[in-house]
Amino acid sequence: MRLFMSLTEAEVKQFDKACDKAGMTRSQYLKCLLNGRRDIRPPVLQYREMIHALESIERDLKVIAMKDDLSDTDKLLIMQKLSDLKELFSGRFHKEVSDGNKG
């Protein structure tokens, strides 16, 4: 579905500035507004928070993996799962960022 709106030149500039600040396309930004979101943060900030949380989890799991009473097999399994998570989220992050840059 397409939506057509009439805006003044100043309103278009203001809207585009808000879209740029949020790191979103016009369509993405308008959808957020229509859904009642007022705390629109750029995707980069959202990903940064997720990355910090994953880093914290990674540190905790590495501490667990280094415990003496853990078998070598369990240690390797934890480290492999950490690597899998990093790859999964890294690929997802890059895909969503590149998809988000499309108009």
Side-chain angles (χ1 to χ4, degrees), residues 10 66 69:
M66 294 302 122
D69 57 344

Side-chain angles (χ1 to χ4, degrees), residues 60-76:
D60 293 343
L61 287 175
K62 282 183 177 178
V63 167
I64 292 169
M66 294 302 122
K67 295 210 180 258
D68 290 334
D69 57 344
L70 206 59
S71 73
D72 288 341
T73 304
D74 289 337
K75 289 178 184 181
L76 287 172

